[in-house]
Amino acid sequence: MKISDKIDFNNDWKVITIFIGGNDLCRVCTNLEYEPENYISKVKDAIDYIHANVPRVFINLLEPVNVTMLYNFKFTGLMCGIAHIVACNCAANPWTKAAAQRMVERVEGYVHEVNALVDSGRYEKDDFTVVVQPFFRYTVPPHTNNKVDMSYFAPDCFHFSLKGQTDAALALWNNMVEPVGDKRLDWYEGERLKCPTESRPYLYTKKNSVASFYENDDFSAKNLAENRLLAKSAGSNDQKKAVTSSGGGVLLMVALASVAVLALVILGSVLYKRHQNKVNCSSRQRLLLNPDRSGDVRYNGNFQH
């Protein structure tokens, strides 16, 4: 940058993204050098060096990816199993439940240390800032037919494929245009690209992320549910329509069945009354012909036919 004639090194703003920690976590169960406090010490040294040597910088500091998700890759094939033994055995194959829990705690420790460093205000300057972008925190790999969608991963089943890199870059950008304190903590398939608004045409930092600025902003995480619905595919919408149509058909069938039952009840009632009338007429006729027959109902003088 210093020798480029396209960049004013001292006055142009630069964006630097730091995404590191995954490989450290993959070794933390066998080497204390990778404990959270040692990890963040090296991150701090790197940012301090940039601060001392590069003016006007916006640093994206990504939270480390949650490597414990590799445990869910166990049934994705032999090659993935071998690759994970070599690349990240601590997360993919914890020896015991206690070991698995320690991995979870270390991931949480890394995330905590990253946020604590930035929240300290150490790098919040007018010409230099570091912003934590947390979209990896609760992200899980997309699934197809209850299996991890491996199209998002490289052949080593660890790094992202082009497809995975593309979606991760989109999620990072969207985090950058979301206010600090109101950033999404995951990314999802079909996520829409967000853009700065005319009223706020900038990347968010801690200083400009005032609550009143984005109280009604479309970027707010409170609209996450709406954004997810908009990201649904046409197939999903068609499925909803089919379900609605099916539900309407069921209601119609129920209504028709109810009418049919009512008609049968009315018809049965009419037929029963006619039958009773015939029985009564027959009995009355017998009484008129043989009023003293033993066992018959006696005529009491009020009968009229």
PDB file of all heavy atoms in Angstrom, residues 72-93:
ATOM      1  N   ASN A  72     -20.447 -33.111  14.272  1.00  0.00           N
ATOM      2  CA  ASN A  72     -21.629 -33.516  13.503  1.00  0.00           C
ATOM      3  C   ASN A  72     -21.275 -34.020  12.110  1.00  0.00           C
ATOM      4  O   ASN A  72     -22.158 -34.428  11.359  1.00  0.00           O
ATOM      5  CB  ASN A  72     -22.603 -32.335  13.388  1.00  0.00           C
ATOM      6  CG  ASN A  72     -23.142 -31.915  14.735  1.00  0.00           C
ATOM      7  OD1 ASN A  72     -23.405 -32.749  15.587  1.00  0.00           O
ATOM      8  ND2 ASN A  72     -23.294 -30.619  14.942  1.00  0.00           N
ATOM      9  N   PHE A  73     -19.986 -33.969  11.757  1.00  0.00           N
ATOM     10  CA  PHE A  73     -19.554 -34.429  10.441  1.00  0.00           C
ATOM     11  C   PHE A  73     -19.188 -35.914  10.457  1.00  0.00           C
ATOM     12  O   PHE A  73     -18.706 -36.451   9.470  1.00  0.00           O
ATOM     13  CB  PHE A  73     -18.326 -33.642   9.979  1.00  0.00           C
ATOM     14  CG  PHE A  73     -18.627 -32.242   9.519  1.00  0.00           C
ATOM     15  CD1 PHE A  73     -19.465 -31.411  10.239  1.00  0.00           C
ATOM     16  CD2 PHE A  73     -18.051 -31.747   8.365  1.00  0.00           C
ATOM     17  CE1 PHE A  73     -19.727 -30.129   9.836  1.00  0.00           C
ATOM     18  CE2 PHE A  73     -18.311 -30.451   7.942  1.00  0.00           C
ATOM     19  CZ  PHE A  73     -19.154 -29.636   8.676  1.00  0.00           C
ATOM     20  N   LYS A  74     -19.374 -36.572  11.575  1.00  0.00           N
ATOM     21  CA  LYS A  74     -18.887 -37.936  11.737  1.00  0.00           C
ATOM     22  C   LYS A  74     -19.392 -38.892  10.656  1.00  0.00           C
ATOM     23  O   LYS A  74     -18.701 -39.830  10.272  1.00  0.00           O
ATOM     24  CB  LYS A  74     -19.292 -38.479  13.112  1.00  0.00           C
ATOM     25  CG  LYS A  74     -18.401 -37.994  14.251  1.00  0.00           C
ATOM     26  CD  LYS A  74     -18.779 -38.675  15.536  1.00  0.00           C
ATOM     27  CE  LYS A  74     -17.798 -38.353  16.659  1.00  0.00           C
ATOM     28  NZ  LYS A  74     -16.468 -38.906  16.394  1.00  0.00           N
ATOM     29  N   PHE A  75     -20.581 -38.661  10.169  1.00  0.00           N
ATOM     30  CA  PHE A  75     -21.184 -39.610   9.243  1.00  0.00           C
ATOM     31  C   PHE A  75     -21.225 -39.063   7.816  1.00  0.00           C
ATOM     32  O   PHE A  75     -22.109 -39.404   7.044  1.00  0.00           O
ATOM     33  CB  PHE A  75     -22.592 -39.966   9.720  1.00  0.00           C
ATOM     34  CG  PHE A  75     -22.620 -40.468  11.137  1.00  0.00           C
ATOM     35  CD1 PHE A  75     -23.072 -39.645  12.164  1.00  0.00           C
ATOM     36  CD2 PHE A  75     -22.166 -41.739  11.448  1.00  0.00           C
ATOM     37  CE1 PHE A  75     -23.086 -40.095  13.475  1.00  0.00           C
ATOM     38  CE2 PHE A  75     -22.181 -42.193  12.751  1.00  0.00           C
ATOM     39  CZ  PHE A  75     -22.633 -41.373  13.775  1.00  0.00           C
ATOM     40  N   THR A  76     -20.259 -38.193   7.493  1.00  0.00           N
ATOM     41  CA  THR A  76     -20.224 -37.615   6.157  1.00  0.00           C
ATOM     42  C   THR A  76     -19.229 -38.322   5.244  1.00  0.00           C
ATOM     43  O   THR A  76     -19.014 -37.894   4.125  1.00  0.00           O
ATOM     44  CB  THR A  76     -19.881 -36.119   6.231  1.00  0.00           C
ATOM     45  OG1 THR A  76     -18.676 -35.944   6.982  1.00  0.00           O
ATOM     46  CG2 THR A  76     -21.003 -35.333   6.880  1.00  0.00           C
ATOM     47  N   GLY A  77     -18.612 -39.378   5.724  1.00  0.00           N
ATOM     48  CA  GLY A  77     -17.729 -40.139   4.857  1.00  0.00           C
ATOM     49  C   GLY A  77     -16.368 -40.398   5.470  1.00  0.00           C
ATOM     50  O   GLY A  77     -15.919 -39.695   6.378  1.00  0.00           O
ATOM     51  N   LEU A  78     -15.701 -41.414   4.934  1.00  0.00           N
ATOM     52  CA  LEU A  78     -14.388 -41.814   5.435  1.00  0.00           C
ATOM     53  C   LEU A  78     -13.352 -40.722   5.261  1.00  0.00           C
ATOM     54  O   LEU A  78     -12.548 -40.463   6.163  1.00  0.00           O
ATOM     55  CB  LEU A  78     -13.934 -43.091   4.720  1.00  0.00           C
ATOM     56  CG  LEU A  78     -12.545 -43.630   5.090  1.00  0.00           C
ATOM     57  CD1 LEU A  78     -12.504 -44.001   6.570  1.00  0.00           C
ATOM     58  CD2 LEU A  78     -12.213 -44.834   4.225  1.00  0.00           C
ATOM     59  N   MET A  79     -13.360 -40.051   4.099  1.00  0.00           N
ATOM     60  CA  MET A  79     -12.347 -39.030   3.826  1.00  0.00           C
ATOM     61  C   MET A  79     -12.450 -37.873   4.818  1.00  0.00           C
ATOM     62  O   MET A  79     -11.443 -37.360   5.287  1.00  0.00           O
ATOM     63  CB  MET A  79     -12.493 -38.517   2.395  1.00  0.00           C
ATOM     64  CG  MET A  79     -12.128 -39.543   1.328  1.00  0.00           C
ATOM     65  SD  MET A  79     -10.444 -40.194   1.551  1.00  0.00           S
ATOM     66  CE  MET A  79      -9.488 -38.688   1.350  1.00  0.00           C
ATOM     67  N   CYS A  80     -13.674 -37.480   5.146  1.00  0.00           N
ATOM     68  CA  CYS A  80     -13.848 -36.407   6.121  1.00  0.00           C
ATOM     69  C   CYS A  80     -13.327 -36.840   7.491  1.00  0.00           C
ATOM     70  O   CYS A  80     -12.688 -36.065   8.194  1.00  0.00           O
ATOM     71  CB  CYS A  80     -15.322 -36.021   6.235  1.00  0.00           C
ATOM     72  SG  CYS A  80     -15.951 -35.068   4.836  1.00  0.00           S
ATOM     73  N   GLY A  81     -13.601 -38.091   7.845  1.00  0.00           N
ATOM     74  CA  GLY A  81     -13.128 -38.593   9.128  1.00  0.00           C
ATOM     75  C   GLY A  81     -11.622 -38.561   9.228  1.00  0.00           C
ATOM     76  O   GLY A  81     -11.053 -38.141  10.246  1.00  0.00           O
ATOM     77  N   ILE A  82     -10.940 -38.985   8.157  1.00  0.00           N
ATOM     78  CA  ILE A  82      -9.465 -38.970   8.144  1.00  0.00           C
ATOM     79  C   ILE A  82      -8.949 -37.535   8.185  1.00  0.00           C
ATOM     80  O   ILE A  82      -8.004 -37.213   8.926  1.00  0.00           O
ATOM     81  CB  ILE A  82      -8.942 -39.702   6.897  1.00  0.00           C
ATOM     82  CG1 ILE A  82      -9.321 -41.186   6.964  1.00  0.00           C
ATOM     83  CG2 ILE A  82      -7.431 -39.539   6.765  1.00  0.00           C
ATOM     84  CD1 ILE A  82      -8.984 -41.958   5.709  1.00  0.00           C
ATOM     85  N   ALA A  83      -9.556 -36.661   7.378  1.00  0.00           N
ATOM     86  CA  ALA A  83      -9.124 -35.260   7.335  1.00  0.00           C
ATOM     87  C   ALA A  83      -9.265 -34.595   8.696  1.00  0.00           C
ATOM     88  O   ALA A  83      -8.397 -33.821   9.119  1.00  0.00           O
ATOM     89  CB  ALA A  83      -9.934 -34.501   6.285  1.00  0.00           C
ATOM     90  N   HIS A  84     -10.332 -34.891   9.407  1.00  0.00           N
ATOM     91  CA  HIS A  84     -10.552 -34.265  10.711  1.00  0.00           C
ATOM     92  C   HIS A  84      -9.600 -34.792  11.773  1.00  0.00           C
ATOM     93  O   HIS A  84      -9.231 -34.057  12.700  1.00  0.00           O
ATOM     94  CB  HIS A  84     -12.004 -34.468  11.144  1.00  0.00           C
ATOM     95  CG  HIS A  84     -12.976 -33.674  10.337  1.00  0.00           C
ATOM     96  ND1 HIS A  84     -14.331 -33.941  10.312  1.00  0.00           N
ATOM     97  CD2 HIS A  84     -12.783 -32.614   9.505  1.00  0.00           C
ATOM     98  CE1 HIS A  84     -14.922 -33.072   9.513  1.00  0.00           C
ATOM     99  NE2 HIS A  84     -14.009 -32.270   9.009  1.00  0.00           N
ATOM    100  N   ILE A  85      -9.192 -36.051  11.661  1.00  0.00           N
ATOM    101  CA  ILE A  85      -8.192 -36.571  12.600  1.00  0.00           C
ATOM    102  C   ILE A  85      -6.894 -35.783  12.468  1.00  0.00           C
ATOM    103  O   ILE A  85      -6.237 -35.445  13.451  1.00  0.00           O
ATOM    104  CB  ILE A  85      -7.936 -38.069  12.335  1.00  0.00           C
ATOM    105  CG1 ILE A  85      -9.166 -38.890  12.745  1.00  0.00           C
ATOM    106  CG2 ILE A  85      -6.703 -38.555  13.100  1.00  0.00           C
ATOM    107  CD1 ILE A  85      -9.064 -40.361  12.388  1.00  0.00           C
ATOM    108  N   VAL A  86      -6.554 -35.440  11.225  1.00  0.00           N
ATOM    109  CA  VAL A  86      -5.315 -34.702  10.964  1.00  0.00           C
ATOM    110  C   VAL A  86      -5.470 -33.221  11.291  1.00  0.00           C
ATOM    111  O   VAL A  86      -4.602 -32.612  11.918  1.00  0.00           O
ATOM    112  CB  VAL A  86      -4.897 -34.866   9.489  1.00  0.00           C
ATOM    113  CG1 VAL A  86      -3.674 -34.014   9.173  1.00  0.00           C
ATOM    114  CG2 VAL A  86      -4.626 -36.330   9.178  1.00  0.00           C
ATOM    115  N   ALA A  87      -6.596 -32.621  10.874  1.00  0.00           N
ATOM    116  CA  ALA A  87      -6.747 -31.166  10.956  1.00  0.00           C
ATOM    117  C   ALA A  87      -7.314 -30.676  12.275  1.00  0.00           C
ATOM    118  O   ALA A  87      -6.925 -29.605  12.760  1.00  0.00           O
ATOM    119  CB  ALA A  87      -7.639 -30.683   9.812  1.00  0.00           C
ATOM    120  N   CYS A  88      -8.250 -31.424  12.872  1.00  0.00           N
ATOM    121  CA  CYS A  88      -8.915 -30.897  14.066  1.00  0.00           C
ATOM    122  C   CYS A  88      -9.465 -32.017  14.926  1.00  0.00           C
ATOM    123  O   CYS A  88     -10.665 -32.086  15.203  1.00  0.00           O
ATOM    124  CB  CYS A  88     -10.041 -29.948  13.660  1.00  0.00           C
ATOM    125  SG  CYS A  88     -10.582 -28.849  14.991  1.00  0.00           S
ATOM    126  N   ASN A  89      -8.581 -32.877  15.374  1.00  0.00           N
ATOM    127  CA  ASN A  89      -9.008 -34.045  16.141  1.00  0.00           C
ATOM    128  C   ASN A  89      -9.642 -33.655  17.476  1.00  0.00           C
ATOM    129  O   ASN A  89     -10.536 -34.338  17.976  1.00  0.00           O
ATOM    130  CB  ASN A  89      -7.817 -34.977  16.382  1.00  0.00           C
ATOM    131  CG  ASN A  89      -8.258 -36.388  16.712  1.00  0.00           C
ATOM    132  OD1 ASN A  89      -9.203 -36.905  16.135  1.00  0.00           O
ATOM    133  ND2 ASN A  89      -7.571 -37.002  17.654  1.00  0.00           N
ATOM    134  N   CYS A  90      -9.190 -32.564  18.073  1.00  0.00           N
ATOM    135  CA  CYS A  90      -9.725 -32.135  19.376  1.00  0.00           C
ATOM    136  C   CYS A  90     -11.229 -31.906  19.319  1.00  0.00           C
ATOM    137  O   CYS A  90     -11.958 -32.267  20.247  1.00  0.00           O
ATOM    138  CB  CYS A  90      -9.036 -30.852  19.830  1.00  0.00           C
ATOM    139  SG  CYS A  90      -7.314 -31.050  20.322  1.00  0.00           S
ATOM    140  N   ALA A  91     -11.694 -31.282  18.228  1.00  0.00           N
ATOM    141  CA  ALA A  91     -13.115 -30.957  18.117  1.00  0.00           C
ATOM    142  C   ALA A  91     -13.920 -32.086  17.492  1.00  0.00           C
ATOM    143  O   ALA A  91     -15.040 -32.354  17.915  1.00  0.00           O
ATOM    144  CB  ALA A  91     -13.292 -29.688  17.285  1.00  0.00           C
ATOM    145  N   ALA A  92     -13.344 -32.757  16.502  1.00  0.00           N
ATOM    146  CA  ALA A  92     -14.087 -33.781  15.780  1.00  0.00           C
ATOM    147  C   ALA A  92     -14.199 -35.086  16.553  1.00  0.00           C
ATOM    148  O   ALA A  92     -15.192 -35.807  16.416  1.00  0.00           O
ATOM    149  CB  ALA A  92     -13.433 -34.038  14.423  1.00  0.00           C
ATOM    150  N   ASN A  93     -13.201 -35.386  17.369  1.00  0.00           N
ATOM    151  CA  ASN A  93     -13.176 -36.680  18.063  1.00  0.00           C
ATOM    152  C   ASN A  93     -12.777 -36.528  19.533  1.00  0.00           C
ATOM    153  O   ASN A  93     -11.737 -37.046  19.957  1.00  0.00           O
ATOM    154  CB  ASN A  93     -12.197 -37.622  17.357  1.00  0.00           C
ATOM    155  CG  ASN A  93     -12.547 -37.828  15.905  1.00  0.00           C
ATOM    156  OD1 ASN A  93     -13.551 -38.429  15.574  1.00  0.00           O
ATOM    157  ND2 ASN A  93     -11.697 -37.304  15.015  1.00  0.00           N
TER     158      ASN A  93
END
